[in-house]
Amino acid sequence: MATQQQQSAIKGAKVLMVGAGGIGCELLKTLALSGFEDIHIIDMDTIEVSNLNRQFLFRRSHVGQSKAKVARDAVLRFRPHINIKSYHANVKNPEFDVDFFKQFDVVLNGLDNLDARRHVNRLCLAAEVPLVESGTTGFLGQVTVHIKGKTECYECQTKPTPKTYPVCTITSTPTKFVHCIVWAKDLLFAKLFGDKNQDNDLNVRSNNSASSSKETEDVFERAEDEDIEQYARKIYDHVFGSNIEVALSNEETWKNRRRPRPIYSKEVLPESLTQQNGSIQNSSVTDGDATVSAMSSLGLKNPQELWGLTQNSLVFVEALKLFFAKRKKEIGHLTFDKDDQLAVEVVTAAANIRAESFGIPLHSLFEAKGIAGNIVHAVATTNAIVAGLIVIEAIKVLNKDADKFRMTYCLEHPSRKMLLMPIEPYEPNPSCYVCSETPLVLEINTQKSKLRDLVDKIVKAKLGMNLPLIMHGASLLYEVGDDLDDIMVANYNANLEKSLSELPSPIVNGSILTVEDLQQELSCKINVKHREEFDEEKEPEGMVLSGWTPSPATNGESASTSNNDDAVDVTEISTGSENASKKRRLTEIQPDDHKKEAENVDSGDDDIMEIENPMMVSKKKKRVA
Amino acid sequence: MDGEELTEQETALYDRQIRVWGANAQRRLTKAHILVSGIKGTVAEFCKNIVLAGVGSVTLMDDRLVKEEALNANFLIPPDESAYSGKTVAETCCDSLKDFNPMVLVSAEKGDLSTFGTDFFEKFDVVVIGYGSRATKKSVNEKCRELSKRVAFYTVDCRDSCGEIFVDLQNYKYTKKKLEETVECELNFPSFQEAISVPWKLIPRRTAKLYFAMRVIEVFEENEGRKHGECSLLDLATVLEIKKKLCEANSVSESHIPNSLLERLITGNIEFPPACAIVGGILAQEVIKAVSGKGDPLKNFFFFDGQDGKGVIEDISNSLAS
Ligand SMILES: [Zn+2]
């Protein structure tokens, strides 16, 4: 129990909670019960039905409202006299700057994505405010304490970044269901309903164009008066039929691979569907109604049912028809959203038809949705346990009990009898580019890669910078901000399209770049090494960034969610793993325990995530013998 | 597959957890009937978790009238006297819990658990005794064991920042996946009486000290006729006397049970909400495992101590004697 001294530290503390989701709801409740009286909470999300099974402060009637605000109101009902301030906003917004963070005694993260976690980590370092970080997935959880100069920061160890696939695997040679999902979501769905001007690797040219005078006819263009079903079938035949035939004509590709089968709508669907189900005519939904669903108009009830080729084909055509009949206004600016039923139907059906072509096992809509939306496995109990652990660490932080800080793993299977396993925190990594000043090394083709590639793939994606600025010597090559004049913006935009070696201050082998983010108060140096060739399979980004850790053997299958539910990157369930530079102090733990944990992680009888589950990241660190 | 499919509404609501334990487990959960008594902080946390998980029904028992101190770690009781005055803890918590998940049937039942016959317990699949006396734990456990159907039996207790869970699943068979294969497993659990009768000198020295300390407190409360948590520093001498006797009777040294730990347990009468959240979370996870038949259940004690942060499983059964 908290002592008198602890109680007064709790009472007087001002804490910031980032995230009011699965962990956040539990955390806010436990903080309030534990006697915290000044709590600020930031969350940009609104409440969804699938949150209600664990985010217990929310009710069905709250769907669509701000999580931060509803959570605040709910907790004030059982603790009316405390101060809770809610912000329905993105923690990356500029108003949450270093000065904002400085007002707090401790920051508690209940976040769901890597990006925001890194951002908060940097602000806490800059503001010198202790951070208690957490994550859960299924029955696994983790809580860590990050204090500048005392313990490692959130980024002292490399974090897995989202998995990318070689373009040709997606466009021509899928071998796993996830490849079909990526194709259906990022290529087909984007082409059909997204921004027409966006780059897209889908072949849109009709292959009988040789006989046609207009040889670049875009199959996806729908003529004003074209019958919707005719159009849907044309798309079907093009992407599942003739595109496969085009691919098959390239014999070289199929020498060591199974040949796909072209599928045409007339083989699987009756001549005309309109007479069979008059769904569109009969349904009473109005234009723009987001609740239209091919499943309900086809009388399909169970999302966990496995549909065959015919059912998938019916769903595909029906969903396309519904999009054009009921949601026409949105076409051209839609992006895939896992909560958009019709979008999930199109993607599921298309991925399954493609999977059938390539001899890959089909999946239910429920499973496909999980993969397409990177949905995190989440249960209430783990969130509750992790929230309890966060509060225990927060109390130690407030009492400055530095020698009692623990990093705690919440395990599904006991390791050395323990389900909750505390470990002494690590020291900061002296070569961390975030909390120390170690330069990074970037291997890149300085003649071919554009500044835009560097900004998108490294500065934003890898370094997680929000408002970056790039300097080479005294020359400013790029920056982002509201206060730039038009000439500067034009200059920077022109720079983006130039290859590195053609820039006003050319970046070549041996150049040293300074990359800064003013909001995060982070600055780092990058040593550039020119390299001619990159392996398309292993290094699909065409550049390699290294240098801040002794290059751990990162699991190639790993990925991380972004902008999703509760949590993730419980990357360090590896209880026995050792930081290469120093030995963990908890020596009694057997290295093999980790393996068991990883094997058992996904024992669902429905085998939902047998393919590259993006959540179950298991980062293997080098072990010290 | 047993029984009917989950409804669309259930699939949407339970989407994220079905991704953890599967649709079959969810179906079994929706048919489970759970009896819970003694609704202090840890049990309130437990109830919230299983109601959210979507069990079939939860029956609450706690006839204490709501007083100010009951509010401490129990967020199911609104701090509004007009809402709870004249109501029992079970009735008040029932109202709050119903609200968490309209698909779960939550009700309150009056009476003294230890006076109920075996037929009462037959209606349930799971019985959880929160903060019970040693006598209540023993007698309810025995009644559950007399039934022909298997009723999963749990006790939970929290003092200071420490918690204890006891599990009796009797003879429990379950399957688990090991890589590609599905393996059949079988566990035999001792009753509460059998477990606490295991001579201490047979129990490995590295076993959680909390196990022994909790037994001392149990005997103290029974001898002195105290309710759960009715003790203070003034009782330390009596408690240490009991510890001495128990250690002697079991031929173990008194150093087995640190006095400082006993002192914490008798003085920490205000619940520590983070510990309640943690122990209530572990207990709910275990009940979900037992109901769904998925995953290794913990056998047969779990201890959490907020001071060192460890959550430890201890197997204390007759097998130690053989
Ligand atoms: Zn660092």
Side-chain angles (χ1 to χ4, degrees):
Chain A
M1 190 52 227
T3 63
Q4 213 64 37
Q5 179 208 341
Q6 283 172 346
Q7 268 310 328
S8 66
I10 290 169
K11 248 173 118 78
K14 187 168 184 175
V15 304
L16 175 66
M17 277 179 58
V18 191
I23 295 173
C25 279
E26 294 288 341
L27 182 56
L28 185 59
K29 172 256 308 164
T30 304
L31 283 173
L33 291 175
S34 303
F36 285 83
E37 293 186 353
D38 193 0
I39 308 166
H40 292 229
I41 178 162
I42 303 177
D43 197 314
M44 67 187 289
D45 284 344
T46 52
I47 297 160
E48 287 164 26
V49 169
S50 63
N51 301 147
L52 303 177
N53 78 318
R54 62 197 185 285
Q55 301 177 14
F56 76 105
L57 300 173
F58 309 146
R59 302 286 170 269
R60 202 163 279 268
S61 60
H62 296 136
V63 169
Q65 298 181 39
S66 153
K67 286 187 175 179
K69 172 151 196 327
V70 175
R72 168 188 179 272
D73 296 349
V75 168
L76 285 179
R77 246 173 279 133
F78 63 82
R79 281 295 180 274
H81 304 301
I82 67 173
N83 173 45
I84 305 176
K85 190 166 161 59
S86 65
Y87 306 82
H88 182 200
N90 188 335
V91 70
K92 288 169 89 173
N93 287 356
E95 68 258 34
F96 305 122
D97 57 7
V98 174
D99 283 335
F100 175 85
F101 274 74
K102 274 186 178 152
Q103 64 182 305
F104 298 103
D105 297 299
V106 62
V107 174
L108 313 175
N109 266 358
L111 277 165
D112 59 3
N113 69 84
L114 187 67
D115 241 24
R117 282 192 172 106
R118 299 206 295 189
H119 186 81
V120 173
N121 180 48
R122 291 163 190 194
L123 283 162
C124 286
L125 286 167
E128 303 204 29
V129 178
L131 168 66
V132 183
E133 174 61 75
S134 69
T136 67
T137 174
F139 293 113
L140 306 177
Q142 185 182 353
V143 174
T144 48
V145 186
H146 303 292
I147 293 180
K148 190 177 182 180
K150 288 209 177 88
T151 67
E152 65 175 0
C153 85
Y154 177 68
E155 296 173 88
C156 275
Q157 307 296 331
T158 43
K159 294 291 182 280
T161 44
K163 173 99 182 140
T164 50
Y165 300 97
V167 174
C168 61
T169 305
I170 301 303
T171 57
S172 334
T173 55
T175 53
K176 294 174 174 175
F177 189 67
V178 67
H179 301 150
C180 301
I181 287 281
V182 173
W183 175 85
K185 185 175 82 159
D186 294 350
L187 299 184
L188 182 61
F189 186 86
K191 185 74 209 169
L192 280 167
F193 307 117
D195 183 354
K196 297 275 183 261
N197 300 320
Q198 225 160 39
D199 277 353
N200 194 310
D201 289 310
L202 199 67
N203 175 20
V204 299
R205 305 294 162 213
S206 162
N207 62 335
N208 48 23
S209 59
S211 58
S212 158
S213 52
K214 302 183 288 176
E215 62 167 22
T216 56
E217 185 194 355
D218 185 341
V219 183
F220 285 80
E221 287 297 332
R222 178 171 166 245
E224 230 0 84
D225 54 350
E226 191 171 3
D227 176 71
I228 308 176
E229 188 174 320
Q230 284 308 310
Y231 173 77
R233 282 175 176 259
K234 181 178 78 181
I235 298 295
Y236 188 110
D237 292 340
H238 177 73
V239 298
F240 304 116
S242 47
N243 270 0
I244 300 288
E245 295 213 39
V246 172
L248 280 170
S249 65
N250 188 354
E251 287 296 333
E252 199 59 28
T253 312
W254 312 108
K255 265 189 172 161
N256 300 307
R257 288 189 176 91
R258 177 185 171 149
R259 297 170 67 89
R261 170 170 78 94
I263 303 173
Y264 289 93
S265 64
K266 64 176 186 294
E267 300 162 16
V268 278
L269 298 174
E271 280 291 293
S272 175
L273 297 167
T274 327
Q275 281 84 5
Q276 293 213 325
N277 61 77
S279 59
I280 289 172
Q281 287 82 350
N282 296 343
S283 66
S284 56
V285 282
T286 51
D287 193 50
D289 189 337
T291 63
V292 288
S293 145
M295 271 180 76
S296 54
S297 65
L298 292 170
L300 295 166
K301 289 241 158 53
N302 184 0
Q304 304 208 32
E305 193 178 44
L306 196 61
W307 303 328
L309 176 61
T310 308
Q311 265 169 323
N312 276 297
S313 303
L314 285 167
V315 170
F316 181 78
V317 172
E318 181 68 16
L320 243 58
K321 282 160 68 178
L322 286 170
F323 256 121
F324 281 93
K326 305 293 178 195
R327 295 175 57 183
K328 202 161 181 203
K329 284 186 205 133
E330 298 166 65
I331 293 171
H333 27 91
L334 272 169
T335 48
F336 177 79
D337 172 1
K338 67 179 190 316
D339 298 306
D340 179 341
Q341 171 70 16
L342 202 53
V344 172
E345 288 170 347
V346 170
V347 166
T348 301
N352 273 330
I353 301 166
R354 186 165 173 85
E356 177 77 24
S357 248
F358 283 86
I360 296 166
L362 309 196
H363 286 67
S364 72
L365 179 120
F366 179 83
E367 295 163 323
K369 178 179 170 183
I371 300 163
N374 276 352
I375 292 177
V376 181
H377 301 196
V379 281
T381 49
T382 319
N383 290 335
I385 294 166
V386 160
L389 294 169
I390 294 172
V391 176
I392 289 178
E393 293 309 316
I395 293 172
K396 292 180 200 167
V397 167
L398 295 174
N399 283 288
K400 309 204 163 34
D401 277 340
D403 52 337
K404 290 188 184 146
F405 294 157
R406 291 291 178 274
M407 145 159 39
T408 307
Y409 296 109
C410 182
L411 306 171
E412 185 176 8
H413 303 280
S415 171
R416 306 260 322 163
K417 300 197 303 188
M418 278 183 275
L419 277 180
L420 301 175
M421 187 168 65
I423 290 177
E424 288 191 29
Y426 296 101
E427 283 164 20
N429 178 355
S431 63
C432 172
Y433 77 93
V434 179
C435 66
S436 72
E437 278 157 22
T438 308
L440 297 159
V441 177
L442 175 67
E443 293 174 75
I444 192 166
N445 187 323
T446 52
Q447 275 134 32
K448 287 188 184 148
S449 295
K450 293 176 184 171
L451 183 64
R452 178 184 295 285
D453 299 323
L454 177 71
V455 170
D456 290 348
K457 293 176 181 171
I458 300 297
V459 178
K460 287 188 181 161
K462 286 251 156 53
L463 302 182
M465 288 191 177
N466 201 23
L467 300 172
L469 173 154
I470 302 174
M471 283 179 38
H472 181 217
S475 146
L476 195 50
L477 296 173
Y478 181 71
E479 68 179 312
V480 181
D482 299 332
D483 51 349
L484 306 178
D485 64 44
D486 292 348
I487 301 167
M488 290 160 87
V489 172
N491 256 333
Y492 294 142
N493 283 340
N495 282 351
L496 282 178
E497 302 313 321
K498 289 180 184 155
S499 73
L500 299 182
S501 58
E502 289 166 357
L503 287 162
S505 166
I507 301 173
V508 294
N509 189 39
S511 293
I512 298 175
L513 300 177
T514 304
V515 185
E516 292 183 3
D517 186 303
L518 296 177
Q519 188 192 1
Q520 298 172 344
E521 292 197 1
L522 173 64
S523 168
C524 54
K525 299 249 184 285
I526 300 179
N527 293 339
V528 176
K529 274 191 190 167
H530 174 79
R531 190 171 130 194
E532 206 58 42
E533 299 288 337
F534 290 88
D535 185 325
E536 202 200 334
E537 294 283 328
K538 288 183 193 132
E539 303 153 337
E541 282 152 338
M543 55 189 81
V544 178
L545 183 74
S546 57
W548 70 92
T549 44
S551 165
T554 313
N555 186 340
E557 302 288 280
S558 69
S560 153
T561 59
S562 51
N563 56 52
N564 266 306
D565 248 322
D566 284 312
V568 172
D569 51 70
V570 179
T571 52
E572 300 171 63
I573 301 303
S574 41
T575 57
S577 64
E578 301 280 353
N579 189 330
S581 57
K582 99 185 134 53
K583 215 166 169 227
R584 293 216 173 186
R585 279 190 260 178
L586 199 81
T587 45
E588 65 212 68
I589 284 162
Q590 304 300 313
D592 285 345
D593 290 343
H594 159 55
K595 260 169 85 194
K596 272 181 243 145
E597 192 63 35
E599 282 161 12
N600 287 322
V601 145
D602 194 13
S603 54
D605 63 359
D606 297 316
D607 249 345
I608 288 156
M609 287 290 186
E610 32 117 21
I611 17 110
E612 278 162 315
N613 173 354
M615 277 78 246
M616 298 321 305
V617 174
S618 148
K619 184 181 62 174
K620 284 169 191 137
K621 286 189 206 158
K622 210 169 158 185
R623 279 179 195 138
V624 171
Chain B
M1 317 277 140
D2 41 327
E4 62 272 34
E5 302 282 350
L6 295 170
T7 64
E8 262 176 274
Q9 197 192 7
E10 286 169 327
T11 309
L13 176 64
Y14 303 132
D15 183 286
R16 296 305 187 270
Q17 68 199 37
I18 292 174
R19 293 178 195 280
V20 176
W21 53 57
N24 287 341
Q26 188 64 46
R27 269 191 289 273
R28 273 174 234 134
L29 270 177
T30 57
K31 295 197 191 96
H33 302 290
I34 300 179
L35 175 69
V36 184
S37 85
I39 310 161
K40 291 191 186 178
T42 307
V43 176
E45 287 279 349
F46 165 76
C47 290
K48 171 207 68 192
N49 294 335
I50 54 163
V51 167
L52 289 173
V55 295
S57 76
V58 179
T59 305
L60 305 172
M61 294 191 66
D62 193 326
D63 289 346
R64 290 177 298 145
L65 287 177
V66 179
K67 292 198 209 106
E68 196 107 20
E69 63 265 26
L71 304 177
N72 173 50
N74 189 340
F75 56 91
L76 299 176
I77 304 175
D80 171 9
E81 233 195 299
S82 63
Y84 64 70
S85 78
K87 283 194 186 172
T88 68
V89 170
E91 287 165 340
T92 315
C93 294
C94 179
D95 293 341
S96 304
L97 280 170
K98 273 180 185 163
D99 209 29
F100 286 172
N101 186 350
M103 288 194 261
V104 179
L105 203 68
V106 189
S107 60
E109 182 101 30
K110 289 202 171 183
D112 177 0
L113 207 54
S114 55
T115 64
F116 288 9
T118 48
D119 51 332
F120 174 78
F121 298 100
E122 191 159 21
K123 294 179 281 191
F124 302 100
D125 303 291
V126 175
V127 171
V128 175
I129 307 288
Y131 307 87
S133 69
R134 189 161 77 153
T136 307
K137 291 182 197 173
K138 276 190 208 169
S139 80
V140 175
N141 187 202
E142 289 314 318
K143 281 168 197 159
C144 291
R145 285 184 152 248
E146 280 167 31
L147 293 163
S148 53
K149 73 181 266 197
R150 186 171 51 81
V151 176
F153 176 83
Y154 299 83
T155 76
V156 63
D157 195 349
C158 260
R159 295 163 196 263
D160 196 73
S161 60
C162 298
E164 175 186 81
I165 296 171
F166 166 76
V167 184
D168 175 16
L169 302 179
Q170 302 173 38
N171 176 266
Y172 183 72
K173 294 194 182 78
Y174 64 105
T175 58
K176 69 174 175 185
K177 266 194 188 161
K178 241 184 181 172
L179 298 175
E180 294 303 295
E181 303 166 73
T182 306
V183 229
E184 296 277 329
C185 304
E186 184 176 355
L187 289 172
N188 277 300
F189 288 74
S191 69
F192 183 71
Q193 173 64 41
E194 284 162 351
I196 63 168
S197 307
V198 173
W200 290 4
K201 60 174 183 298
L202 299 179
I203 300 173
R205 236 197 119 79
R206 290 186 56 199
T207 301
K209 303 280 182 237
L210 255 177
Y211 171 75
F212 305 103
M214 290 298 250
R215 303 291 77 78
V216 172
I217 302 293
E218 249 169 29
V219 172
F220 165 79
E221 286 178 347
E222 187 165 280
N223 289 357
E224 304 286 311
R226 304 282 182 91
K227 286 205 182 110
H228 181 274
E230 263 183 8
C231 46
S232 71
L233 204 53
L234 298 173
D235 299 309
L236 188 61
T238 323
V239 169
L240 292 180
E241 195 55 37
I242 292 169
K243 161 184 142 171
K244 188 161 179 270
K245 277 189 194 148
L246 284 174
C247 287
E248 275 168 11
N250 279 287
S251 353
V252 299
S253 121
E254 279 193 66
S255 65
H256 235 70
I257 314 171
N259 290 354
S260 58
L261 179 58
L262 289 170
E263 197 179 313
R264 275 174 69 202
L265 298 184
I266 59 170
T267 55
N269 293 328
I270 301 171
E271 290 179 282
F272 185 51
C276 296
I278 291 165
V279 178
I282 299 278
L283 178 62
Q285 235 159 50
E286 286 307 312
V287 167
I288 290 166
K289 275 190 211 165
V291 168
S292 63
K294 291 199 60 168
D296 297 302
L298 75 79
K299 180 174 181 286
N300 54 345
F301 282 91
F302 173 82
F303 297 96
F304 175 75
D305 185 345
Q307 213 151 71
D308 62 15
K310 287 184 189 168
V312 189
I313 296 173
E314 299 289 0
D315 185 348
I316 296 169
S317 52
N318 327 42
S319 62
L320 291 171
S322 56

